[in-house]
Amino acid sequence: MKKIETDCPDSWIFEQDINKVILDNCNRKRNKFSLVVIFVFVPLVVVVYYLLSNYYGDVQKVGKIIIGFEIAGILVLYLTIWILKKRIVKKYWPMIIIPVIALLIVIAVIDIFTEGNMSLQSSDILSFCGDYLAFLGTFCLGYFIYIQDRLKMIEEKRTKVRMLIALMENADIGLLNLSYLTRNEKFIKSSEKQNHVKLIPYNSDWLLYYYEYEALKGENPDLRRTLNSFFGNIMNVNAAIKLGQIEKADQINHNYVDRKHYSTGKYNEFEAITCLRDACDDYHFCNTKSWIERKETVDLINELCKKYYFIIENYVYVWLLRHNVETTTEKDDLNREIVDWLLLNSSEIKEKVKFPNDKRIISKVVFDCSLKFESKSVKVSYMWGEYSLK
């Protein structure tokens, strides 16, 4: 009989994992419901029991009323949670919690300052209920208006972020079209066609749109650096297009894309757009973490750093001796040279680097190992992007 692989959908392990996910999700929902019952429903039962016992004075009658109240309350609570979406419950929870807290405080004050066994009169209870309902209506209406204004403000900011995303996507389409045209022989030979090449979509207000993202999600210097680099490249490409240097414009963009394959930055363009989308709604269906934040990537980088540290250190040392220099210069892109050498000579790395963008992982390995030179190496050091002999 043919053995079923463990990652096959028909395998028992795969089905067990799926069941575990479902059960974990159900347990999480059940825990949330339990918290709602503990902090909202139970205090309400206590308050109602206190009021009714003072009003009726009949324990059996009060018990029946409480049982009915509990059954009705549980049904209403289930219905409310089923109807309202998760994000709405989160937004409007103060409309439930704060009135309950206020009610408990009032009851506690009445109990403390009531002398002896004096019971409340029906007129007192009716007066209190009227005042409490007036407070409840005023508070809920005010909070509802506040939420609506806040949602409107947030939606306005999200609209600006969506405009930034659309600008980046349109720019990518323009860059791809430019690359296609410059590889078309008929286009290259036609100077008339080259003079009608459109500029890459660009809006100088992109930084203002980005600030709207920061207003929603907080400051993100790594994301801003990625966007600065992206739009800086578009400005350089457009400058060449305005001069009629179409092939040069495409070469500028090609060099930019090539450099990004060796970048150790936190985001590339795709990840930057994913990060921006994260601020556009309350639902997150995809992994919004950057490549460097994902556990599998971090584990892989740490593993390769341990294996290749001494190889990288020795490569830098031999390179400096071969070129008879004490330190590298800005023209010496030694980091990139080491990455290409590892990709060419390591079968393990060849298996792990399936796409050009995966070179970023190896660049990160070389960079992290280089940072360790100052404290671990007795032969070379690395500081401010330059390697030198010790």
Side-chain angles (χ1 to χ4, degrees):
M1 182 180 292
K2 187 177 180 181
K3 185 179 179 181
I4 300 177
E5 297 180 0
T6 56
D7 59 348
C8 174
D10 296 329
S11 69
W12 179 84
I13 295 177
F14 179 83
E15 293 174 355
Q16 185 187 50
D17 291 340
I18 293 297
N19 290 332
K20 186 176 182 300
V21 170
I22 295 173
L23 288 175
D24 289 344
N25 191 37
C26 292
N27 290 333
R28 195 178 299 113
K29 291 181 178 180
R30 193 179 297 113
N31 291 335
K32 289 182 179 180
F33 177 76
S34 299
L35 290 175
V36 172
V37 171
I38 291 172
F39 292 105
V40 178
F41 188 67
V42 173
L44 277 175
V45 171
V46 174
V47 170
V48 172
Y49 180 82
Y50 178 84
L51 291 174
L52 293 176
S53 61
N54 278 275
Y55 180 75
Y56 289 104
D58 187 347
V59 178
Q60 291 184 353
K61 190 173 183 179
V62 172
K64 293 178 181 179
I65 295 174
I66 291 296
I67 292 173
F69 175 78
E70 288 178 350
I71 295 173
I74 291 174
L75 292 174
V76 170
L77 197 56
Y78 266 117
L79 185 61
T80 303
I81 293 176
W82 181 74
I83 292 176
L84 297 178
K85 295 180 181 178
K86 178 181 175 182
R87 62 178 183 142
I88 297 178
V89 172
K90 284 186 176 180
K91 289 173 183 175
Y92 292 100
W93 67 265
M95 295 176 65
I96 300 174
I97 300 299
I98 293 179
V100 170
I101 293 174
L103 183 61
L104 293 175
I105 292 174
V106 171
I107 297 300
V109 171
I110 292 174
D111 186 60
I112 291 172
F113 289 96
T114 300
E115 296 181 359
N117 295 323
M118 184 178 63
S119 60
L120 297 174
Q121 302 297 320
S122 58
S123 58
D124 298 329
I125 296 176
L126 291 174
S127 177
F128 168 75
C129 290
D131 293 339
Y132 181 75
L133 289 174
F135 157 76
L136 189 63
T138 303
F139 172 79
C140 291
L141 179 61
Y143 186 78
F144 181 78
I145 294 173
Y146 160 76
I147 285 294
Q148 294 303 311
D149 291 341
R150 185 170 177 271
L151 291 176
K152 183 179 179 181
M153 179 188 68
I154 290 175
E155 190 57 34
E156 289 176 353
K157 294 182 181 299
R158 286 175 172 173
T159 300
K160 297 292 181 63
V161 176
R162 293 188 188 102
M163 292 172 66
L164 176 57
I165 294 172
L167 179 61
M168 294 181 67
E169 291 175 341
N170 291 334
D172 278 331
I173 294 172
L175 292 170
L176 288 172
N177 184 57
L178 175 66
S179 179
Y180 169 77
L181 291 176
T182 52
R183 283 157 179 74
N184 188 324
E185 293 184 3
K186 293 181 179 180
F187 173 81
I188 294 174
K189 294 178 181 179
S190 175
S191 58
E192 182 180 350
K193 290 182 179 179
Q194 291 191 30
N195 293 330
H196 290 85
V197 174
K198 295 181 180 180
L199 296 175
I200 308 301
Y202 176 78
N203 188 338
S204 58
D205 291 334
W206 72 265
L207 190 57
L208 298 178
Y209 300 157
Y210 169 73
Y211 285 143
E212 299 293 349
Y213 166 85
E214 287 194 342
L216 292 168
K217 288 292 187 177
E219 189 176 358
N220 192 337
D222 297 292
L223 178 60
R224 181 173 177 179
R225 279 193 290 269
T226 299
L227 297 183
N228 267 321
S229 177
F230 177 79
F231 286 106
N233 174 60
I234 293 175
M235 291 179 66
N236 294 333
V237 170
N238 283 340
I241 292 176
K242 288 178 181 178
L243 297 175
Q245 301 172 343
I246 309 304
E247 293 184 43
K248 180 181 178 181
D250 180 60
Q251 187 61 41
I252 290 172
N253 182 60
H254 176 77
N255 294 338
Y256 166 78
V257 173
D258 185 58
R259 287 195 305 271
K260 282 298 178 181
H261 289 159
Y262 295 86
S263 172
T264 58
K266 190 173 181 180
Y267 303 99
N268 60 16
E269 279 71 40
F270 174 76
E271 291 163 343
I273 290 175
T274 303
C275 189
L276 291 170
R277 282 204 179 99
D278 185 50
C280 291
D281 54 50
D282 296 325
Y283 301 101
H284 314 299
F285 297 103
C286 58
N287 190 350
T288 57
K289 289 185 178 180
S290 70
W291 68 281
I292 200 172
E293 295 174 313
R294 296 170 187 167
K295 185 180 183 303
E296 59 270 20
T297 306
V298 173
D299 292 342
L300 176 60
I301 291 172
N302 290 335
E303 177 189 348
L304 295 177
C305 282
K306 293 176 182 178
K307 289 183 178 179
Y308 291 91
Y309 170 80
F310 291 106
I311 296 175
I312 294 170
E313 177 193 30
N314 190 62
Y315 189 99
V316 173
Y317 179 68
V318 171
W319 191 94
L320 292 170
L321 292 180
R322 186 189 304 126
H323 290 79
N324 195 26
V325 293
E326 292 289 330
T327 182
T328 58
T329 63
E330 294 181 357
K331 296 180 180 179
D332 301 318
D333 197 351
L334 187 53
N335 187 294
R336 175 169 178 159
E337 183 179 323
I338 296 172
V339 172
D340 290 337
W341 182 81
L342 289 172
L343 289 169
L344 184 63
N345 294 278
S346 172
S347 57
E348 179 186 17
I349 290 178
K350 283 181 181 178
E351 292 179 1
K352 297 183 183 300
V353 177
K354 303 295 184 182
F355 305 99
N357 197 49
D358 292 340
K359 292 180 183 178
R360 298 164 66 201
I361 295 176
I362 311 306
S363 293
K364 181 63 176 172
V365 171
V366 175
F367 178 71
D368 285 355
C369 289
S370 300
L371 292 178
K372 294 291 184 180
F373 288 168
E374 199 64 29
S375 58
K376 293 184 66 175
S377 177
V378 295
K379 299 187 293 186
V380 293
S381 64
Y382 179 77
M383 188 174 293
W384 300 109
E386 294 183 357
Y387 295 94
S388 60
L389 293 170
K390 281 191 176 180

